[in-house]
């Protein structure tokens, strides 16, 4: 008894502004094709159930969970991965802000967070903290409390708007400790 060969799809996908030819089993997800066929391993395998956001990429500028989308359906769409954010040797302002503020811990969820934040800032260049939290709600991170991530998105937004690009002192060093002497003048 012979096993039936998987049907293959051959497409030229537009990924990070480049035409990329790929031949893959028709049932493969965009996540599988990006990582296994195109070698773009910045997009991470997470839950593969659409619940963690680790595999988020942009399709036509919108965040998409690549583990839930068949690659065969991506013909004619623009796909952006974390590898496409950096321009030459220059980090995208989001990448720089994440690095400046230590927003990436182990880094596994970071590509998905960056892609989701990039879509948010393209749509809303001046989001408030609640808007940032809502946009990132589908991206799970086990290492942080999300505070530095939200601050990094705020900082990147300010930099993209041409505002002061320096992180607030508290973001780097924390809030000052209360005085041990009760806050009096010592006299």
């Amino acid at each position: 008894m012979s096993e039936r060969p998987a049907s293959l799809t051959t497409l030229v996908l537009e990924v990070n502004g480049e035409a990329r030819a790929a031949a893959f089993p028709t049932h493969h997800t965009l996540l599988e094709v990006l990582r296994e066929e195109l070698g773009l391993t910045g997009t991470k395998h997470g839950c593969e159930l659409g619940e963690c956001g680790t595999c988020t990429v942009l399709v036509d500028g919108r965040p998409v969970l690549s583990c839930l989308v068949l690659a065969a359906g991506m013909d004619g769409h623009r796909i952006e991965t974390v590898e496409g954010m950096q321009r030459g040797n220059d980090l995208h302002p989001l990448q720089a802000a994440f690095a400046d503020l230590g927003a990436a811990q182990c880094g596994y969820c970071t590509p998905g967070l960056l892609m989701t934040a990039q879509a948010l800032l393209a749509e809303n260049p001046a989001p408030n903290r609640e808007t940032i939290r809502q946009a990132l709600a589908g991206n799970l991170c086990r290492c942080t409390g999300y505070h530095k991530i939200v601050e990094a998105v705020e900082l990147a937004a300010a930099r993209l708007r041409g505002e002061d690009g320096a992180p607030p002192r508290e973001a780097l060093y924390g809030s000052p400790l209360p005085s041990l002497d009760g806050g009096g003048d010592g006299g």
Side-chain angles (χ1 to χ4, degrees), residues 58-80:
L58 301 183
V59 176
D60 298 329
R62 298 190 162 282
V64 169
L65 300 170
S66 63
C67 72
L68 297 181
V69 177
L70 290 177
M74 292 292 104
D75 190 26
H77 294 281
R78 288 178 300 106
I79 302 162
E80 296 173 65

Side-chain angles (χ1 to χ4, degrees), residues 25-107:
T26 302
H27 68 276
H28 275 197
T29 64
L30 180 57
L31 172 64
E32 292 170 306
V33 171
L34 289 172
R35 290 181 59 83
E36 298 165 17
E37 303 301 327
L38 300 180
L40 298 170
T41 58
T43 304
K44 302 300 182 205
H45 280 278
C47 66
E48 295 190 46
L49 298 170
E51 295 179 2
C52 72
T54 301
C55 67
T56 303
V57 298
L58 301 183
V59 176
D60 298 329
R62 298 190 162 282
V64 169
L65 300 170
S66 63
C67 72
L68 297 181
V69 177
L70 290 177
M74 292 292 104
D75 190 26
H77 294 281
R78 288 178 300 106
I79 302 162
E80 296 173 65
T81 69
V82 70
E83 289 92 347
M85 289 182 79
Q86 184 171 332
R87 297 290 178 235
N89 289 330
D90 296 325
L91 293 177
H92 185 282
L94 276 164
Q95 292 170 308
F98 267 62
D100 291 347
L101 296 181
Q105 298 289 308
C106 79

